[in-house]
Amino acid sequence: MKNWIVTCLAIVGLVATSGWAQQTADTDAFERQLFHRAHDALTEVIVADIFSPPVASRIYVYAHAAAYETLVLSQGGPYRSAAGQLPGLTPPPSLTLTGVHPALAATEALLVVGRSLVFSEKRLDDLAEKLWQQVGKQGYATQTITASRTVGRQMASHILAWAAGDQYKQTRSLRRYTPQKKPGAWLPTPPGYMAAVEPYWRRIRPLTLDSAAQYKLVAPPEFATTTDSRFYRSAREVRDVGNQLSPEQRLIANYWDCNPFYLNTQGHMNFASKKLSPGGHWLAIAGQVARQSGADLLKTSTAYFLTAVALFDGFIGCWDDKYRYNVIRPETYINAHIDESWKPVLQTPPFPEYPSGHSVISTASAVVLTHLFGPNRAFTDSTEVPYGLPPRRFTSFHQAAAEAAVSRLYGGIHYREAIENGQKQGQQVGNQVVRKLQLVALPAKK
């Protein structure tokens, strides 16, 4: 009889333990999904508000800094705070963590920071409210949700105070950029002939770089119009490649277009198509790989945050060189000196050509994601499916980055030198992020 009772109790205990484990697994899965959906909600608003790629990177980096710092403060483990590692970022003031659920607090921190940096606050509020309604249906105690959101808002305030010192506000009041009137200098391009984007971005405080010019590139080929010059040959290559694209090359060009403001022109009517920014695409990749690899919430947050830092510093270094060298776009040069009727596959972005921003930030992102997930992490990228393009399969982050880089040649908007040197700068930026921002503590050597 005694043995029978012991056996029954053991079975009951096993069932209870199994049920608890399943409940815990379900909760973890829900919280990871909640976090991804919060990021996606922020991206939706960034796209709707048509932020330029550099400005979008700023929104992302501070939002994910808030989320990451909240999780580290609550959970810790092998992960370390970025406070003291990034300029001006200090530990947050004492926060009451009693009854706080880390995932809920981090989600609130991300959304509150994001709301403070976008234009369409109401739109993000509405998306956030839907997320919190789902949280309420998961059985979390009301006091837990309240305490968690309070801590999230407190962390958001701390991060926003840090963000306020990065010179962004000051650059908003600088005078409008006037294109230089000299041979070889950048000029606005059709169809919109839009003003130069973020000509003063070099003044923004970098996070891991010593300065915007830390990885200053070698000068591009000297401007010339003679047919035997290097500059002319580079431009002719862009024209020739664009005229002979295979269906796969054309698909690659469009897949990595990531133009936040594509201007459609039909007769006298103009209207914009809003799309994901290049940085948004790479953060989407970070999120997809976190899902596909089964990463826990802290590793997921680390992937978003490190990628966002690489994007942010990558744009600062890239934009410094863009306006230093101020190189004419292929479309302008080819129309003036080679073929006046030629048009690129992609719409030329409104800023100088050298180096290729895609090459810089894609390579930098690949470096940090490889650091986190390994060199042979294959993945499927479905980022462009909402824009009518099929998923693409990559064997590694660096393969994806290389394809993103060469897509700018296929698209007709960059010379080869801008692509290859941009990749070099991106490698340097990515290495700097990994070296300077050590979020995951390495095991002690024996």
Side-chain angles (χ1 to χ4, degrees):
M1 182 68 175
K2 181 178 180 181
N3 289 339
W4 179 80
I5 294 174
V6 170
T7 300
C8 287
L9 289 173
I11 292 172
V12 170
L14 179 62
V15 171
T17 301
S18 176
W20 176 84
Q22 182 60 49
Q23 183 180 20
T24 301
D26 290 346
T27 299
D28 289 346
F30 169 77
E31 290 172 353
R32 290 196 301 272
Q33 184 64 13
L34 174 71
F35 192 77
H36 287 301
R37 289 176 64 193
H39 169 83
D40 293 343
L42 178 58
T43 292
E44 181 177 325
V45 175
I46 288 173
V47 171
D49 285 349
I50 319 177
F51 286 106
S52 69
V55 176
S57 76
R58 180 178 183 267
I59 299 170
Y60 282 128
V61 80
Y62 291 126
H64 279 291
Y68 176 81
E69 289 297 300
T70 303
L71 288 172
V72 169
L73 181 68
S74 304
Q75 293 181 259
Y79 293 87
R80 301 190 296 202
S81 170
Q85 298 192 63
L86 299 180
L89 180 59
T90 59
S94 180
L95 301 178
T96 301
L97 300 179
T98 304
V100 169
H101 207 291
L104 304 187
T107 299
E108 177 76 346
L110 187 157
L111 291 169
V112 171
V113 171
R115 183 190 188 280
S116 300
L117 301 178
V118 299
F119 300 141
S120 301
E121 298 100 330
K122 178 64 165 57
R123 183 168 185 160
L124 188 54
D125 284 345
D126 290 344
L127 293 170
E129 180 58 29
K130 293 178 181 179
L131 296 181
W132 289 115
Q133 288 174 3
Q134 291 300 313
V135 171
K137 296 176 181 178
Q138 292 298 311
Y140 295 93
T142 301
Q143 58 267 34
T144 297
I145 297 174
T146 300
S148 300
R149 294 187 69 178
T150 296
V151 166
R153 288 192 291 272
Q154 291 170 334
M155 181 63 79
S157 295
H158 177 66
I159 295 299
L160 287 169
W162 171 51
D166 72 356
Q167 298 298 307
Y168 176 78
K169 183 178 180 180
Q170 289 80 349
T171 62
R172 300 307 92 186
S173 60
L174 296 175
R175 66 181 183 181
R176 184 184 179 95
Y177 179 83
T178 301
Q180 299 178 17
K181 295 181 179 180
K182 66 176 186 179
W186 173 82
L187 293 171
T189 50
Y193 296 94
M194 291 184 282
V197 167
E198 297 299 337
Y200 305 109
W201 200 252
R202 70 183 74 179
R203 302 191 186 191
I204 302 296
R205 175 188 61 195
L207 296 181
T208 65
L209 302 180
D210 297 338
S211 70
Q214 181 174 356
Y215 296 117
K216 175 184 173 183
L217 289 175
V218 298
E222 184 178 359
F223 177 77
T225 59
T226 56
T227 58
D228 61 345
S229 67
R230 183 178 172 187
F231 202 102
Y232 185 94
R233 291 197 300 271
S234 292
R236 187 174 58 197
E237 180 191 26
V238 175
R239 190 275 312 264
D240 292 346
V241 168
N243 287 347
Q244 301 170 14
L245 291 178
S246 68
E248 175 71 1
Q249 290 171 328
R250 188 174 295 273
L251 173 61
I252 289 171
N254 284 290
Y255 189 82
W256 294 101
D257 182 18
C258 302
N259 185 348
F261 187 83
Y262 180 87
L263 186 61
N264 299 274
T265 57
Q266 295 182 4
H268 297 290
M269 182 178 67
N270 296 334
F271 62 96
S273 295
K274 302 175 183 180
K275 297 177 68 176
L276 204 64
S277 70
H281 192 142
W282 275 98
L283 284 164
I285 288 174
Q288 289 172 98
V289 173
R291 288 186 181 98
Q292 293 167 19
S293 65
D296 63 22
L297 186 55
L298 249 173
K299 187 170 183 178
T300 296
S301 179
T302 304
Y304 277 126
F305 182 33
L306 267 183
T307 304
V309 172
L311 294 168
F312 185 73
D313 278 359
F315 277 119
I316 291 174
C318 176
W319 251 242
D320 181 49
D321 277 331
K322 277 186 177 294
Y323 286 94
R324 171 182 293 108
Y325 295 118
N326 200 19
V327 175
I328 189 172
R329 284 283 182 170
E331 182 173 13
T332 308
Y333 182 94
I334 292 170
N335 288 165
H337 304 290
I338 300 177
D339 182 350
E340 64 180 9
S341 64
W342 183 83
K343 292 183 178 180
V345 169
L346 301 181
Q347 202 167 98
T348 301
F351 39 81
E353 188 270 343
Y354 182 86
S356 156
H358 265 56
S359 302
V360 176
I361 63 100
S362 295
T363 306
S365 298
V367 170
V368 299
L369 288 171
T370 298
H371 171 71
L372 275 179
F373 293 104
N376 300 311
R377 170 62 64 182
F379 64 94
T380 298
D381 177 24
S382 302
T383 304
E384 297 299 314
V385 169
Y387 302 104
L389 296 171
R392 292 188 69 78
R393 180 75 175 168
F394 299 101
T395 58
S396 69
F397 299 112
H398 283 291
Q399 185 200 20
E403 183 178 282
V406 77
S407 75
R408 312 314 267 174
L409 176 63
Y410 299 158
I413 59 177
H414 277 294
Y415 312 108
R416 186 174 295 276
E417 290 84 0
I419 294 167
E420 294 178 350
N421 288 334
Q423 289 173 301
K424 293 176 183 177
Q425 188 177 72
Q427 183 72 40
Q428 292 172 317
V429 170
N431 289 341
Q432 179 77 350
V433 173
V434 170
R435 183 166 54 247
K436 291 290 290 290
L437 184 55
Q438 298 183 15
L439 300 181
V440 183
L442 298 176
K445 294 183 179 179
K446 296 182 178 180

